[in-house]
Amino acid sequence: MGNYLNIGNAGFQAIRKGLYIDKSGMISFINSTLGTTDKLTCVSRPRRFGKSFAAKMLCAYYDDSCDSRKLFTDLQIAKDSSFEKYLNKYPVIYLDITFFISSLTDIHEIVPSLQEKVLAEIRQSFPEIKEDTLIETLASAAEKAGKKFIIIIDEWDALFREAKNNTDVQREYIQLLRSLFKSSLTDKAIEAAYMTGILPIKKYGTQSAMTDFREYTMLQPGPLEEYVGFTEEEVKFLCEKYKMDFSEAKRWYDGYCFSRVRSVYSPNSIITAIKMGEYNTYWTQTETYESLKLYIDMDTDGLKEVLVQMLGGMECRVNIRTFQNDMTTIKNKDDILTLLIHLGYLAYHRESKTVFIPNEEIRQEFIDAVENGKHKEIAKLVSESEELLRNTLNMNEQAVAQALSLAHSAGTAPAFYNNEQALRSVIRFAYLSCIEQYQEIQELPSGTGYADVVFVPRKRSALPAMVIELKWNKSAEGAIKQIKEKNYPQVLEGLSNEILLVGINYDLSSKAHTCRIEKHRK
């Protein structure tokens, strides 16, 4: 076994000894591509979404230098008709690009060093082969051995992140990949390739760098949807096994969704929460967190307003087509939003073409980034959210109205604000601190209608429930009247000892908010 050629199954052995969810069904999909025109697969996922786990699983399964049968006999793939046919049948080359970068002091040496080290290992197994280039050597070795290679590249795009402004190094790297996967020798040397990364394959102009790859991304995962992260059924199983509250797991980590799999969870976040015994945010201080701060600080037209809307729980339209699949060619807010989808900080609805903050963990990351960033007016409102909650609980109507006016002027353009949906966004944004102590429900069916926003106290909380009714160009008194007439508090009876009725109106002519607060009397 070598460092690059046939690394064995030690990596997957370690994974199986820990907290493991069976994702081996993905092997069946890769098996179906072997030797076909679909044999080149590129999977892009955010950090902490199990990319390296999958790569090590594939190494263990295909590597012909080891016997991995015991690692897979109790997994889903063992039931597949292709299991025996391809188990430990191929020489495998495994390249961890992040490792190569960290092992070198000069980024310019990565491509020559990578080729040199891989060539050296292949020549140890095939000393009679004298070709100069990597693809020529692989083709000759495949012919000699009577079987082609499987190439697995983990974090393939790490070079674009580490050398984001060095186009010479990027071009040299792309040329190497093209020589491997887009040459006359590719079909002679390679049975399949599997690449992982955070970003889709880099574009140059209108053409992808390697057009023969089939890409499966956070925007379009296709048949690999269930392997992006943990599914809801898998999370329920883990919560039951480890005595964790599933409803809290859903609040903290659910929110990513695709066409067929509607609830996807970050694997690392779930596993870490179980190991730590508590739900929290586990992304802070990663490379992508620094990117989050960098990009939301950009003075891009409309970005601030979109941030407020999303922090307020809204979904926002996005054009994903202009993104160039790198972290430097950022032209507008749509490029930033698309990048944040790939980084895992936003979720995407394909049907509505909208983005949104998926869950509590990511919401906390956005708040941290805003508080430590350049949008000082938004950061100030975030920090004052607790005071707004106190004023609401103390029934200080004037202070509440003033705080909402500040939230409006700081975060949302007047043209956008002229409807009740926009008013709701700003209200939810202003009450950010409520999320710590309340469950927020929009348009809750109750009585003879739907309450606009309801805050239900979380378990063991002594705070009152709150029913908030919003009006645009009407009156706060009218909002309170509607709450009572339609009996919105009905659904909350028994859930809280006290219920506050909050009516809020925005007057278009005066540009002023008004507020009325009453205690519900049964």
Side-chain angles (χ1 to χ4, degrees):
M1 295 182 184
N3 294 323
Y4 313 105
L5 174 61
N6 287 344
I7 66 170
N9 57 23
F12 192 54
Q13 283 186 46
I15 292 170
R16 287 300 319 266
K17 290 177 181 178
L19 195 161
Y20 180 71
I21 288 291
D22 184 2
K23 293 293 183 179
S24 65
M26 190 186 73
I27 297 173
S28 175
F29 172 78
I30 301 299
N31 283 347
S32 72
T33 72
L34 297 179
T36 72
T37 55
D38 296 324
K39 65 178 175 287
L40 305 180
T41 300
C42 183
V43 171
S44 56
R45 302 282 184 270
R47 281 192 181 280
R48 314 285 182 92
F49 267 69
K51 298 187 300 295
S52 295
F53 278 28
K56 291 174 182 177
M57 176 183 70
L58 294 175
C59 285
Y61 175 76
Y62 290 115
D63 191 333
D64 64 2
S65 71
C66 60
D67 183 357
S68 300
R69 184 177 302 276
K70 290 183 179 180
L71 290 172
F72 291 99
T73 52
D74 62 334
L75 300 183
Q76 181 182 352
I77 183 60
K79 302 174 184 178
D80 191 87
S81 59
S82 68
F83 176 65
E84 294 288 348
K85 183 176 181 180
Y86 302 115
L87 177 65
N88 299 131
K89 293 297 194 299
Y90 293 95
V92 176
I93 292 176
Y94 174 72
L95 306 176
D96 182 345
I97 303 304
T98 302
F99 167 77
F100 272 105
I101 293 173
S102 64
S103 65
L104 297 172
T105 57
D106 185 356
I107 196 74
H108 293 86
E109 294 300 316
I110 183 171
V111 176
S113 175
L114 187 153
Q115 293 187 85
E116 179 184 338
K117 290 180 178 180
V118 176
L119 279 170
E121 287 201 3
I122 296 174
R123 286 167 179 163
Q124 285 181 354
S125 299
F126 302 92
E128 68 278 16
I129 295 177
K130 305 299 182 184
E131 277 81 355
D132 294 329
T133 68
L134 181 55
I135 186 61
E136 289 174 326
T137 301
L138 289 173
S140 296
E143 183 177 9
K144 194 79 175 176
K147 48 187 172 182
K148 302 174 188 178
F149 288 82
I150 288 180
I151 298 182
I152 297 173
I153 304 179
D154 199 11
E155 299 281 3
W156 85 273
D157 60 335
L159 185 66
F160 290 102
R161 303 194 301 271
E162 294 294 330
K164 63 179 67 175
N165 296 313
N166 195 324
T167 55
D168 290 338
V169 172
Q170 292 179 16
R171 189 175 298 108
E172 186 179 21
Y173 180 51
I174 286 294
Q175 287 173 349
L176 170 64
L177 296 178
R178 278 178 171 159
S179 72
L180 289 173
F181 304 123
K182 200 174 178 62
S183 77
S184 59
L185 297 177
T186 298
D187 290 333
K188 295 181 179 180
I190 297 173
E191 185 74 356
Y194 180 87
M195 296 200 312
T196 78
I198 293 177
L199 298 179
I201 293 173
K202 164 77 177 166
K203 295 179 182 177
Y204 287 94
T206 59
Q207 295 297 317
S208 169
M210 291 167 288
T211 55
D212 290 344
F213 269 85
R214 300 291 183 263
E215 293 198 71
Y216 305 95
T217 72
M218 291 298 284
L219 294 172
Q220 194 169 2
L224 300 183
E225 285 185 5
E226 64 182 292
Y227 307 114
V228 171
F230 288 168
T231 65
E232 189 148 291
E233 291 72 20
E234 291 164 347
V235 174
K236 284 181 179 178
F237 166 78
L238 290 172
C239 287
E240 182 177 348
K241 180 177 180 179
Y242 293 98
K243 305 298 188 291
M244 301 286 285
D245 186 338
F246 169 71
S247 63
E248 280 295 284
K250 188 173 183 65
R251 180 174 77 92
W252 273 93
Y253 308 120
D254 187 17
Y256 305 97
C257 59
F258 305 113
S259 298
R260 293 176 295 277
V261 181
R262 304 306 295 181
S263 289
V264 175
Y265 297 68
S266 162
N268 179 78
S269 298
I270 291 291
I271 290 173
T272 306
I274 290 173
K275 290 180 177 178
M276 297 298 292
E278 65 175 338
Y279 296 115
N280 209 324
T281 175
Y282 297 110
W283 277 26
T284 308
Q285 305 307 317
T286 66
E287 172 193 346
T288 50
Y289 173 71
E290 296 304 316
S291 297
L292 175 64
K293 291 199 298 182
L294 171 66
Y295 291 112
I296 68 174
D297 279 347
M298 286 185 170
D299 293 325
T300 305
D301 290 343
L303 182 61
K304 183 180 74 171
E305 290 78 12
V306 168
L307 281 175
V308 171
Q309 293 164 36
M310 291 192 300
L311 284 169
M314 287 187 64
E315 298 187 13
C316 301
R317 293 277 295 184
V318 61
N319 178 4
I320 63 173
R321 295 188 300 275
T322 63
F323 183 59
Q324 293 295 303
N325 296 349
D326 63 32
M327 293 184 170
T328 56
T329 315
I330 303 295
K331 299 178 180 178
N332 50 52
K333 69 175 176 61
D334 287 325
D335 288 344
I336 294 174
L337 297 176
T338 306
L339 173 59
L340 293 179
I341 295 170
H342 291 297
L343 295 180
Y345 282 102
L346 293 175
Y348 179 66
H349 271 148
R350 287 190 64 194
E351 294 86 352
S352 60
K353 296 180 173 56
T354 54
V355 290
F356 56 98
I357 297 174
N359 52 48
E360 175 65 10
E361 179 180 42
I362 303 303
R363 189 188 70 88
Q364 292 282 0
E365 295 295 291
F366 268 93
I367 291 173
D368 289 344
V370 167
E371 289 182 331
N372 295 311
K374 294 180 179 179
H375 293 298
K376 299 302 182 186
E377 69 277 33
I378 299 179
K380 185 173 185 292
L381 292 171
V382 169
S383 67
E384 292 177 348
S385 180
E386 290 187 10
E387 183 178 355
L388 172 61
L389 176 57
R390 284 194 298 270
N391 284 326
T392 305
L393 298 176
N394 291 331
M395 302 178 66
N396 188 337
E397 299 169 340
Q398 185 175 353
V400 170
Q402 184 177 1
L404 296 178
S405 293
L406 290 174
H408 168 210
S409 60
T412 307
F416 173 81
Y417 200 56
N418 291 339
N419 59 69
E420 288 187 23
Q421 183 67 12
L423 173 59
R424 180 181 301 171
S425 170
V426 171
I427 299 302
R428 295 183 68 203
F429 168 73
Y431 278 99
L432 277 173
S433 63
C434 281
I435 303 301
E436 300 293 331
Q437 302 178 71
Y438 286 92
Q439 178 185 3
E440 178 192 347
I441 306 173
Q442 291 190 72
E443 296 191 348
L444 178 66
S446 181
T448 59
Y450 293 83
D452 282 337
V453 182
V454 175
F455 289 107
V456 181
R458 297 196 179 279
K459 296 177 181 178
R460 297 178 295 278
S461 174
L463 294 175
M466 296 190 296
V467 178
I468 300 179
E469 182 64 24
L470 309 175
K471 293 297 179 184
W472 176 68
N473 228 24
K474 294 181 181 178
S475 72
E477 292 82 1
I480 294 289
K481 183 179 179 182
Q482 179 173 320
I483 293 175
K484 294 177 179 179
E485 289 180 347
K486 296 193 175 183
N487 197 18
Y488 291 160
Q490 174 184 308
V491 75
L492 297 174
E493 293 177 0
L495 298 177
S496 178
N497 293 328
E498 188 178 4
I499 302 173
L500 288 183
L501 314 182
V502 183
I504 295 169
N505 179 67
Y506 174 72
D507 187 86
L508 180 59
S509 59
S510 65
K511 310 295 184 185
H513 295 77
T514 53
C515 175
R516 292 293 179 267
I517 305 174
E518 295 183 8
K519 290 184 179 180
H520 173 59
R521 290 177 173 81
K522 300 179 182 178

